[in-house]
Amino acid sequence: MKISESPLCTLLGIKYPIIQGGMAWVADASLAAAVSNAGGLGLISCINAGSEAVRNEIIKCRQLTDKPFGVNIMLMAPNADEIAQMVINEHVGIVTTGAGMPTRYMAKWLDAGIKVIPVISASLFAMKAESIGACALVAEGGESGGHIGEMNTMALVPAVVDAVHIPVIAAGGIADGRGMAAAFMLGAAGVQCGTCFLVADECNVSDIYKDKVISARDSDTIVTGRSLGHPVRALKTPFTRKFAEMERDKSIKSEDIMAFGTGSLRKAVREGDIPGGSFMAGESAGLVHKRQSTAAIIEEMLGQAKKLMKDE
Ligand code: TUI
């Protein structure tokens, strides 16, 4: 398949099948509009905000771009119901969901003409998502940053491609044209990337966060939270090491570990708080070497992928 002929481009009205991950605390109007203006699909995250604040980001994004963009809803968020209604009221065209199945909202969203793209981490969830009306899927491997499933991208993506009839977007470990080309070889119709956009000029995370991603090697991330049932990948820091230590110590209660983690992502994103922050990032942090504009990140990835795929 030629990249520009991906069914995702027609489906979503975008130029390139590159989607920006809906990163909690990170994916605001500034980043989403920059990705959409560069030809990809930008997403606004809802996790950190009340529905009024997200509504303001949607309005801001519409001022910054006339291209399609979407909203990502983390289904474990306490205010997911309210956000689910707000996206209908605001005529959002594309919604991606994470950390669960959006079954309870599907009828209302489809009635409102919203294109729904669940993020899933196994082919069983993919089949379920297709059966309830998803128009495409993000198959997210455990190389990703943030909350992850059990499978990794290399085996997950082709399994999901075989299990469904809708376009599959590969995510997890993809930060350059080599990853993008590989995703197409696995049968994906596009890619979703988060980590490589953390260092974009239009991304409003702290400078410390950007520097930490740039200096990270491939083995500089760690998964914590497995003992709590919520595995999360982040950069290795004194905070994540302490978290892992607490998980190993059977005398510490789960509630106390969870309390230790509360608010840590915000501290990393806003304050660059190294002792208390969770710098969520994927394994592809080891592939991210410089700060540049969102447009340059997308052009570079696309150029490299096209060359590898002899699609020029
Ligand atoms: O949701 C994500 N990644 C995230 S959410 C997040 S916010 C957070 N903040 C603090 C601590 C923890 C998290 C950070 N990163 N990715 C999408 C994703 N969805 N990954 C895995 C899944 C998933 C898991 C289970 C999707 C469906 C699913 O279905 C299970 C079921 O039983 O329905």
Side-chain angles (χ1 to χ4, degrees):
M1 191 198 301
K2 273 174 112 60
I3 291 174
S4 59
E5 287 166 8
S6 162
L8 271 185
C9 295
T10 340
L11 179 69
L12 304 177
I14 55 179
K15 197 165 163 203
Y16 308 132
I18 300 175
I19 289 134
Q20 164 237 316
M23 296 169 282
W25 283 100
V26 174
D28 61 4
S30 164
L31 182 60
V35 171
S36 290
N37 281 332
L41 183 78
L43 293 178
I44 293 170
S45 158
C46 296
I47 179 87
N48 50 307
S51 66
E52 195 51 33
V54 182
R55 198 176 148 265
N56 288 335
E57 289 302 303
I58 293 169
I59 292 165
K60 216 184 308 170
C61 199
R62 288 198 172 122
Q63 288 163 355
L64 295 170
T65 185
D66 57 359
K67 306 279 189 303
F69 65 90
V71 169
N72 173 261
I73 304 180
M74 205 274 215
L75 297 168
M76 288 185 335
N79 62 346
D81 286 355
E82 198 186 331
I83 304 270
Q85 184 56 47
M86 183 275 295
V87 294
I88 296 173
N89 301 346
E90 292 307 314
H91 306 287
V92 169
I94 303 164
V95 165
T96 70
T97 63
M101 225 14 98
T103 316
R104 62 188 186 280
Y105 307 122
M106 279 313 272
K108 276 209 302 195
W109 284 346
L110 295 178
D111 271 355
I114 296 176
K115 293 187 174 113
V116 186
I117 308 180
V119 179
I120 50 85
S121 53
S123 64
L124 279 176
F125 298 135
M127 289 189 282
K128 170 79 183 160
E130 179 178 44
S131 76
I132 60 176
C135 68
L137 291 168
V138 177
E140 190 188 87
E143 296 91 327
S144 306
H147 176 68
I148 53 172
E150 289 294 333
M151 301 257 324
N152 288 328
T153 305
M154 183 70 87
L156 173 68
V157 172
V160 171
V161 167
D162 287 347
V164 298
H165 305 92
I166 50 181
V168 175
I169 300 153
I174 303 167
D176 59 26
R178 295 171 296 179
M180 185 175 185
F184 274 77
M185 294 302 110
L186 296 176
V191 293
Q192 177 180 281
C193 305
T195 302
C196 65
F197 290 121
L198 283 171
V199 304
D201 297 336
E202 295 85 351
C203 179
N204 287 315
V205 302
S206 57
D207 282 334
I208 291 174
Y209 206 139
K210 291 187 180 184
D211 290 344
K212 287 194 87 59
V213 170
I214 286 168
S215 58
R217 288 177 189 275
D218 50 357
S219 56
D220 283 342
T221 69
I222 181 173
V223 179
T224 57
R226 285 204 200 279
S227 71
L228 309 172
H230 298 297
V232 167
R233 185 182 295 283
L235 296 176
K236 283 179 187 164
T237 60
F239 172 83
T240 52
R241 287 198 181 93
K242 170 84 182 144
F243 201 108
E245 212 174 279
M246 287 173 83
E247 283 191 278
R248 280 193 298 270
D249 183 341
K250 296 299 166 222
S251 72
I252 302 179
K253 291 202 286 281
S254 301
E255 301 95 89
D256 294 335
I257 306 176
M258 270 193 259
F260 178 69
T262 302
S264 57
L265 177 59
R266 185 193 56 77
K267 287 183 200 160
V269 170
R270 292 284 158 89
E271 296 153 30
D273 177 351
I274 294 178
S278 170
F279 294 79
M280 292 188 191
E283 291 178 346
S284 70
L287 301 170
V288 176
H289 302 304
K290 57 181 185 289
R291 294 190 189 201
Q292 50 187 345
S293 68
T294 301
I297 294 169
I298 289 181
E299 291 301 334
E300 202 173 290
M301 185 181 301
L302 198 79
Q304 196 184 17
K306 281 187 160 185
K307 221 176 235 162
L308 290 167
M309 292 167 70
K310 308 208 182 331
D311 169 19
E312 288 174 289

